[in-house]
Amino acid sequence: MKNLFLAILFVLPITLSAQKAKDTIRVFYLGGQSNMEGFGYNKELPKELNKEFKNVYIFHGNSAIDGDTSGGLGYWSMLKPGHGIGFQTDGKTNKYSDRFGIELSFAKRMQELYPNDKIALIKYSRNGSSIDSLAASSFGSWEADFNGKNGINQYDHYLKTIKNALSVKDINNDGKEDVLVPSGILWMQGESDADKTEEIALRYYHHLKRLMDLMRASLLTDDLPVVIGKISDSFNDADGLVWDYGDLVTYAQEKFAKTDSKAAIVRTTKYYKYSDKWHYDSAGFIDFGEQFAKELHKLMTK
């Protein structure tokens, strides 16, 4: 009986420890407009990216117009191609597209930099969306104070995406509770604030700074690293510029990266080729993800 009692005492702490064991997972948010949404073609992916990624999970919030209550629906799944433009989800089933964005090459590079870590991506982006409500048109606005149709806009869809993603306690269904640690924000947006009026473009720095501060607050991390993708121009337009006030927006992006100690910017976009007048080609998106990882890693190791 004594030996049995000692055996129980020995096993009990181990059992309790196993019950309390948790997985710590780095989580990154990917947001913005169409060049974050992704216009690369899956058929043009190299073999090392055209696969399901082990230990990389993604919650891709359903993209929707302002006022649509389906925005932000989603569920956790393993990362694989198909999270580009055309991706849809009802929160139970994913409809994958034939396109990809930065998520694949970003995840690959982060796995190389952090080989012992599990990685999670939360993605919500909206094609054509602006921050400034006056530039939103039918695509949507990220301006937090703008109610939009039914009081719902892109910032609300973002918040719903984050809430839905972080409410899941076991994102990989392995029986262990997961601790998701916010580790960075990747933001690619600004084109739609650069093609309307000079006044809208001049407000971009204020809007960008406030939005990034609000996103950091929503992720409960004041100094969360932020990497901005610098907008570029294909020059494929009658007057030579697709984004007529693009210089004002890129100045604002550079200013944000320079004045925020936990921010950086990816500038290689100016070298990318285009699949149409607005969007990078597949090779551009692959490099873009790698550059995001490179700049974010620098901030994370400061």
mmCIF file of all heavy atoms in Angstrom, residues 131-157:
data_model
loop_
_atom_site.group_PDB
_atom_site.id
_atom_site.type_symbol
_atom_site.label_atom_id
_atom_site.label_comp_id
_atom_site.label_asym_id
_atom_site.label_seq_id
_atom_site.Cartn_x
_atom_site.Cartn_y
_atom_site.Cartn_z
ATOM 1 N N ILE A 131 -7.625 53.997 -46.270
ATOM 2 C CA ILE A 131 -7.825 54.358 -44.867
ATOM 3 C C ILE A 131 -8.815 55.514 -44.801
ATOM 4 O O ILE A 131 -9.792 55.462 -44.065
ATOM 5 C CB ILE A 131 -6.497 54.742 -44.178
ATOM 6 C CG1 ILE A 131 -5.486 53.594 -44.259
ATOM 7 C CG2 ILE A 131 -6.766 55.101 -42.712
ATOM 8 C CD1 ILE A 131 -4.156 53.889 -43.590
ATOM 9 N N ASP A 132 -8.573 56.539 -45.587
ATOM 10 C CA ASP A 132 -9.436 57.722 -45.601
ATOM 11 C C ASP A 132 -10.821 57.360 -46.126
ATOM 12 O O ASP A 132 -10.959 56.785 -47.206
ATOM 13 C CB ASP A 132 -8.805 58.794 -46.490
ATOM 14 C CG ASP A 132 -9.374 60.176 -46.246
ATOM 15 O OD1 ASP A 132 -10.608 60.325 -46.298
ATOM 16 O OD2 ASP A 132 -8.582 61.107 -46.004
ATOM 17 N N SER A 133 -11.851 57.715 -45.377
ATOM 18 C CA SER A 133 -13.218 57.379 -45.779
ATOM 19 C C SER A 133 -13.633 58.077 -47.069
ATOM 20 O O SER A 133 -14.471 57.567 -47.816
ATOM 21 C CB SER A 133 -14.197 57.731 -44.660
ATOM 22 O OG SER A 133 -14.168 59.125 -44.381
ATOM 23 N N LEU A 134 -13.021 59.225 -47.362
ATOM 24 C CA LEU A 134 -13.375 59.961 -48.572
ATOM 25 C C LEU A 134 -12.783 59.325 -49.826
ATOM 26 O O LEU A 134 -13.142 59.704 -50.949
ATOM 27 C CB LEU A 134 -12.920 61.417 -48.463
ATOM 28 C CG LEU A 134 -13.605 62.242 -47.369
ATOM 29 C CD1 LEU A 134 -13.082 63.680 -47.389
ATOM 30 C CD2 LEU A 134 -15.116 62.233 -47.534
ATOM 31 N N ALA A 135 -11.894 58.366 -49.642
ATOM 32 C CA ALA A 135 -11.295 57.671 -50.776
ATOM 33 C C ALA A 135 -11.851 56.259 -50.936
ATOM 34 O O ALA A 135 -11.431 55.515 -51.814
ATOM 35 C CB ALA A 135 -9.771 57.602 -50.602
ATOM 36 N N ALA A 136 -12.818 55.903 -50.108
ATOM 37 C CA ALA A 136 -13.257 54.512 -50.018
ATOM 38 C C ALA A 136 -14.002 54.016 -51.244
ATOM 39 O O ALA A 136 -13.901 52.844 -51.601
ATOM 40 C CB ALA A 136 -14.138 54.334 -48.790
ATOM 41 N N SER A 137 -14.794 54.889 -51.875
ATOM 42 C CA SER A 137 -15.628 54.462 -53.001
ATOM 43 C C SER A 137 -16.462 53.257 -52.554
ATOM 44 O O SER A 137 -16.999 53.242 -51.454
ATOM 45 C CB SER A 137 -14.747 54.132 -54.203
ATOM 46 O OG SER A 137 -15.509 53.831 -55.336
ATOM 47 N N SER A 138 -16.532 52.209 -53.381
ATOM 48 C CA SER A 138 -17.312 51.013 -53.017
ATOM 49 C C SER A 138 -16.450 49.934 -52.375
ATOM 50 O O SER A 138 -16.953 48.872 -52.002
ATOM 51 C CB SER A 138 -17.990 50.438 -54.267
ATOM 52 O OG SER A 138 -17.011 50.052 -55.228
ATOM 53 N N PHE A 139 -15.150 50.214 -52.215
ATOM 54 C CA PHE A 139 -14.231 49.180 -51.752
ATOM 55 C C PHE A 139 -14.156 49.071 -50.226
ATOM 56 O O PHE A 139 -13.948 47.998 -49.685
ATOM 57 C CB PHE A 139 -12.826 49.435 -52.312
ATOM 58 C CG PHE A 139 -12.747 49.310 -53.791
ATOM 59 C CD1 PHE A 139 -12.680 50.436 -54.600
ATOM 60 C CD2 PHE A 139 -12.752 48.066 -54.394
ATOM 61 C CE1 PHE A 139 -12.607 50.326 -55.980
ATOM 62 C CE2 PHE A 139 -12.682 47.931 -55.776
ATOM 63 C CZ PHE A 139 -12.612 49.073 -56.565
ATOM 64 N N GLY A 140 -14.297 50.200 -49.532
ATOM 65 C CA GLY A 140 -14.265 50.156 -48.081
ATOM 66 C C GLY A 140 -13.184 51.013 -47.475
ATOM 67 O O GLY A 140 -12.192 51.351 -48.128
ATOM 68 N N SER A 141 -13.375 51.376 -46.207
ATOM 69 C CA SER A 141 -12.476 52.267 -45.477
ATOM 70 C C SER A 141 -12.022 51.631 -44.176
ATOM 71 O O SER A 141 -12.782 50.948 -43.492
ATOM 72 C CB SER A 141 -13.189 53.594 -45.181
ATOM 73 O OG SER A 141 -12.485 54.346 -44.211
ATOM 74 N N TRP A 142 -10.752 51.912 -43.811
ATOM 75 C CA TRP A 142 -10.182 51.433 -42.554
ATOM 76 C C TRP A 142 -10.234 52.509 -41.466
ATOM 77 O O TRP A 142 -9.721 52.309 -40.376
ATOM 78 C CB TRP A 142 -8.719 51.032 -42.754
ATOM 79 C CG TRP A 142 -8.530 49.820 -43.616
ATOM 80 C CD1 TRP A 142 -8.554 49.766 -44.971
ATOM 81 C CD2 TRP A 142 -8.262 48.490 -43.168
ATOM 82 N NE1 TRP A 142 -8.311 48.485 -45.407
ATOM 83 C CE2 TRP A 142 -8.128 47.682 -44.320
ATOM 84 C CE3 TRP A 142 -8.102 47.901 -41.906
ATOM 85 C CZ2 TRP A 142 -7.854 46.309 -44.241
ATOM 86 C CZ3 TRP A 142 -7.830 46.544 -41.834
ATOM 87 C CH2 TRP A 142 -7.718 45.760 -42.992
ATOM 88 N N GLU A 143 -10.821 53.659 -41.760
ATOM 89 C CA GLU A 143 -10.849 54.751 -40.796
ATOM 90 C C GLU A 143 -11.715 54.348 -39.600
ATOM 91 O O GLU A 143 -12.913 54.108 -39.736
ATOM 92 C CB GLU A 143 -11.401 56.019 -41.459
ATOM 93 C CG GLU A 143 -11.212 57.262 -40.611
ATOM 94 C CD GLU A 143 -11.590 58.527 -41.364
ATOM 95 O OE1 GLU A 143 -11.463 58.548 -42.605
ATOM 96 O OE2 GLU A 143 -12.019 59.479 -40.703
ATOM 97 N N ALA A 144 -11.093 54.270 -38.425
ATOM 98 C CA ALA A 144 -11.770 53.712 -37.248
ATOM 99 C C ALA A 144 -13.005 54.498 -36.837
ATOM 100 O O ALA A 144 -13.962 53.929 -36.307
ATOM 101 C CB ALA A 144 -10.790 53.622 -36.083
ATOM 102 N N ASP A 145 -13.020 55.804 -37.078
ATOM 103 C CA ASP A 145 -14.146 56.634 -36.657
ATOM 104 C C ASP A 145 -15.257 56.716 -37.697
ATOM 105 O O ASP A 145 -16.288 57.339 -37.448
ATOM 106 C CB ASP A 145 -13.665 58.058 -36.338
ATOM 107 C CG ASP A 145 -12.765 58.094 -35.115
ATOM 108 O OD1 ASP A 145 -12.938 57.241 -34.235
ATOM 109 O OD2 ASP A 145 -11.875 58.967 -35.056
ATOM 110 N N PHE A 146 -15.045 56.104 -38.844
ATOM 111 C CA PHE A 146 -16.050 56.140 -39.906
ATOM 112 C C PHE A 146 -16.961 54.930 -39.762
ATOM 113 O O PHE A 146 -16.507 53.791 -39.781
ATOM 114 C CB PHE A 146 -15.370 56.137 -41.279
ATOM 115 C CG PHE A 146 -16.325 56.134 -42.437
ATOM 116 C CD1 PHE A 146 -17.179 57.198 -42.640
ATOM 117 C CD2 PHE A 146 -16.362 55.082 -43.331
ATOM 118 C CE1 PHE A 146 -18.065 57.214 -43.720
ATOM 119 C CE2 PHE A 146 -17.233 55.084 -44.410
ATOM 120 C CZ PHE A 146 -18.083 56.155 -44.606
ATOM 121 N N ASN A 147 -18.243 55.173 -39.596
ATOM 122 C CA ASN A 147 -19.169 54.076 -39.344
ATOM 123 C C ASN A 147 -19.449 53.211 -40.564
ATOM 124 O O ASN A 147 -19.640 52.015 -40.452
ATOM 125 C CB ASN A 147 -20.493 54.616 -38.796
ATOM 126 C CG ASN A 147 -20.360 55.138 -37.387
ATOM 127 O OD1 ASN A 147 -19.562 54.624 -36.615
ATOM 128 N ND2 ASN A 147 -21.132 56.161 -37.054
ATOM 129 N N GLY A 148 -19.475 53.825 -41.734
ATOM 130 C CA GLY A 148 -19.789 53.050 -42.921
ATOM 131 C C GLY A 148 -21.226 52.565 -42.912
ATOM 132 O O GLY A 148 -22.025 52.915 -42.047
ATOM 133 N N LYS A 149 -21.561 51.738 -43.851
ATOM 134 C CA LYS A 149 -22.907 51.189 -43.937
ATOM 135 C C LYS A 149 -23.180 50.266 -42.752
ATOM 136 O O LYS A 149 -22.351 49.419 -42.410
ATOM 137 C CB LYS A 149 -23.064 50.407 -45.252
ATOM 138 C CG LYS A 149 -24.458 49.863 -45.483
ATOM 139 C CD LYS A 149 -24.515 49.108 -46.805
ATOM 140 C CE LYS A 149 -25.896 48.518 -47.033
ATOM 141 N NZ LYS A 149 -25.960 47.742 -48.295
ATOM 142 N N ASN A 150 -24.310 50.444 -42.100
ATOM 143 C CA ASN A 150 -24.698 49.629 -40.937
ATOM 144 C C ASN A 150 -23.702 49.738 -39.788
ATOM 145 O O ASN A 150 -23.673 48.881 -38.903
ATOM 146 C CB ASN A 150 -24.848 48.149 -41.329
ATOM 147 C CG ASN A 150 -25.914 47.935 -42.379
ATOM 148 O OD1 ASN A 150 -26.858 48.715 -42.471
ATOM 149 N ND2 ASN A 150 -25.760 46.905 -43.178
ATOM 150 N N GLY A 151 -22.891 50.799 -39.806
ATOM 151 C CA GLY A 151 -21.924 50.972 -38.729
ATOM 152 C C GLY A 151 -20.734 50.041 -38.807
ATOM 153 O O GLY A 151 -19.981 49.900 -37.841
ATOM 154 N N ILE A 152 -20.537 49.379 -39.954
ATOM 155 C CA ILE A 152 -19.458 48.396 -40.107
ATOM 156 C C ILE A 152 -18.567 48.791 -41.277
ATOM 157 O O ILE A 152 -19.048 49.031 -42.388
ATOM 158 C CB ILE A 152 -20.026 46.988 -40.369
ATOM 159 C CG1 ILE A 152 -20.900 46.532 -39.200
ATOM 160 C CG2 ILE A 152 -18.913 45.984 -40.609
ATOM 161 C CD1 ILE A 152 -21.656 45.237 -39.462
ATOM 162 N N ASN A 153 -17.266 48.876 -41.027
ATOM 163 C CA ASN A 153 -16.327 49.118 -42.127
ATOM 164 C C ASN A 153 -15.138 48.166 -42.013
ATOM 165 O O ASN A 153 -15.182 47.168 -41.285
ATOM 166 C CB ASN A 153 -15.915 50.589 -42.192
ATOM 167 C CG ASN A 153 -14.942 50.992 -41.093
ATOM 168 O OD1 ASN A 153 -14.741 50.273 -40.110
ATOM 169 N ND2 ASN A 153 -14.332 52.147 -41.250
ATOM 170 N N GLN A 154 -14.065 48.454 -42.735
ATOM 171 C CA GLN A 154 -12.934 47.527 -42.782
ATOM 172 C C GLN A 154 -12.236 47.376 -41.427
ATOM 173 O O GLN A 154 -11.751 46.292 -41.087
ATOM 174 C CB GLN A 154 -11.923 47.976 -43.849
ATOM 175 C CG GLN A 154 -12.471 47.975 -45.259
ATOM 176 C CD GLN A 154 -13.053 46.637 -45.650
ATOM 177 O OE1 GLN A 154 -12.359 45.615 -45.627
ATOM 178 N NE2 GLN A 154 -14.329 46.604 -46.002
ATOM 179 N N TYR A 155 -12.192 48.447 -40.659
ATOM 180 C CA TYR A 155 -11.593 48.336 -39.322
ATOM 181 C C TYR A 155 -12.413 47.400 -38.443
ATOM 182 O O TYR A 155 -11.856 46.621 -37.660
ATOM 183 C CB TYR A 155 -11.470 49.717 -38.673
ATOM 184 C CG TYR A 155 -10.774 49.672 -37.342
ATOM 185 C CD1 TYR A 155 -9.429 49.335 -37.254
ATOM 186 C CD2 TYR A 155 -11.462 49.949 -36.171
ATOM 187 C CE1 TYR A 155 -8.780 49.271 -36.029
ATOM 188 C CE2 TYR A 155 -10.827 49.893 -34.944
ATOM 189 C CZ TYR A 155 -9.484 49.553 -34.878
ATOM 190 O OH TYR A 155 -8.849 49.487 -33.659
ATOM 191 N N ASP A 156 -13.721 47.445 -38.585
ATOM 192 C CA ASP A 156 -14.583 46.518 -37.840
ATOM 193 C C ASP A 156 -14.355 45.077 -38.286
ATOM 194 O O ASP A 156 -14.338 44.156 -37.459
ATOM 195 C CB ASP A 156 -16.056 46.895 -38.025
ATOM 196 C CG ASP A 156 -16.367 48.273 -37.476
ATOM 197 O OD1 ASP A 156 -16.229 48.474 -36.259
ATOM 198 O OD2 ASP A 156 -16.731 49.158 -38.265
ATOM 199 N N HIS A 157 -14.187 44.882 -39.594
ATOM 200 C CA HIS A 157 -13.889 43.529 -40.095
ATOM 201 C C HIS A 157 -12.548 43.044 -39.527
ATOM 202 O O HIS A 157 -12.402 41.862 -39.205
ATOM 203 C CB HIS A 157 -13.839 43.528 -41.620
ATOM 204 C CG HIS A 157 -15.161 43.793 -42.282
ATOM 205 N ND1 HIS A 157 -16.367 43.458 -41.712
ATOM 206 C CD2 HIS A 157 -15.452 44.356 -43.488
ATOM 207 C CE1 HIS A 157 -17.350 43.800 -42.527
ATOM 208 N NE2 HIS A 157 -16.826 44.351 -43.609
#
